[in-house]
Amino acid sequence: MAKMGRPKSENPKIRKLTVKMENDLYDEFTKECEKINAEKSTLIRNWIIEFLENKKK
């Protein structure tokens, strides 16, 4: 019988990061994410990658 469900990811996201911020900052960030149609976690992950790549230069 064939396996059912979603295939396993090669690089699963298992680590969790929590950030506390003020209400007005969170609201503004959420609005900007909606404007560019991006998920908050994806945007933050991309910023971290960009930061680390710039740090290496």
Side-chain angles (χ1 to χ4, degrees):
M1 196 168 183
K3 287 187 177 183
M4 301 294 287
R6 217 179 163 133
K8 299 283 184 190
S9 174
E10 288 183 24
N11 191 12
K13 295 166 185 74
I14 57 174
R15 299 288 185 165
K16 186 174 183 176
L17 177 67
T18 303
V19 178
K20 289 187 174 187
M21 60 180 74
E22 299 84 3
N23 283 333
D24 55 343
L25 180 60
Y26 179 81
D27 292 341
E28 189 173 343
F29 179 59
T30 301
K31 286 178 189 175
E32 292 300 318
C33 287
E34 289 171 357
K35 276 185 192 177
I36 62 172
N37 196 27
E39 292 183 13
K40 291 184 223 69
S41 58
T42 303
L43 189 56
I44 292 170
R45 203 176 299 117
N46 289 340
W47 285 342
I48 292 170
I49 292 168
E50 184 179 324
F51 170 77
L52 293 174
E53 286 175 351
N54 287 336
K55 189 177 177 186
K56 291 178 185 177
K57 293 178 183 177

